[in-house]
Amino acid sequence: INNGHTLQFTPSAAGSTTIGADSYNLLQFHFHGASEHKLDGVNYPLELHFVHKNAADQLAVVGVFIGDGDSNPALAALIASLPSEAGEEHATSPSVDPAALLPASMRYFAYAGSLTPPPCSEGVRWNVLATPIFASRDQIEALTAALGASNREVQPLNTRVLTFGE
């Protein structure tokens, strides 16, 4: 769905992730352009968010930077089924394993934060992968054209504590 803020995909066989001692089920994943986080002070053209929820209804988001590089087959399948207009929903089933949208390295930085669309609700467990995936310039342009400006500016760290892990 193109909800006017992002392009959201809801896979039928979503899978899960374990963060700490908690298991989180994947609800959906979506894109932002440009990235909503910076790595070493650098914004990437796109950022992918995998939104998860655990049994206690707590949210965790895994962020993945998308940089300029070679064509990405998993992104190509998603781009082929993109809704272009805000509010437009496509009931398609692109054959994409969400794991194909992850980098080989799972090094990450983590912090307690909020959702990025208003009202920016707090209580989200963020895990942002430190290694980007790549997409061709054409793929980045196609996603950017469909998204428009859909990112929240990077917020001050304030009292948040960043942790790093593998």
Side-chain angles (χ1 to χ4, degrees):
I1 185 169
N2 180 340
N3 65 16
H5 176 71
T6 188
L7 297 168
Q8 179 179 308
F9 294 85
T10 307
S12 56
S16 64
T17 190
T18 301
I19 301 171
D22 294 323
S23 179
Y24 293 82
N25 292 319
L26 179 62
L27 300 176
Q28 50 98 342
F29 59 93
H30 62 267
F31 296 88
H32 293 280
S35 64
E36 295 189 319
H37 294 88
K38 290 183 179 183
L39 187 59
D40 295 328
V42 175
N43 268 96
Y44 280 79
L46 297 167
E47 188 171 332
L48 173 58
H49 291 166
F50 291 94
V51 180
H52 300 79
K53 186 186 285 190
N54 67 11
D57 286 337
Q58 297 167 319
L59 295 177
V61 179
V62 175
V64 179
F65 295 110
I66 301 175
D68 280 311
D70 291 334
S71 183
N72 184 312
L75 287 175
L78 296 175
I79 290 168
S81 65
L82 283 181
S84 57
E85 300 294 323
E88 186 178 350
E89 187 170 342
H90 281 193
T92 62
S93 298
S95 179
V96 176
D97 176 4
L101 297 167
L102 297 172
S105 171
M106 298 305 280
R107 289 182 324 115
Y108 65 92
F109 58 93
Y111 66 95
S114 67
L115 293 175
T116 59
C120 303
S121 305
E122 292 286 335
V124 177
R125 190 171 187 169
W126 278 93
N127 295 267
V128 181
L129 301 182
T131 302
I133 62 170
F134 295 96
S136 69
R137 174 58 24 206
D138 287 346
Q139 289 175 320
I140 290 171
E141 288 174 0
L143 286 165
T144 302
L147 283 167
S150 65
N151 68 323
R152 178 182 179 194
E153 292 298 317
V154 173
Q155 302 298 300
L157 191 57
N158 295 325
T159 60
R160 291 182 187 89
V161 176
L162 281 178
T163 58
F164 298 90
E166 295 276 336

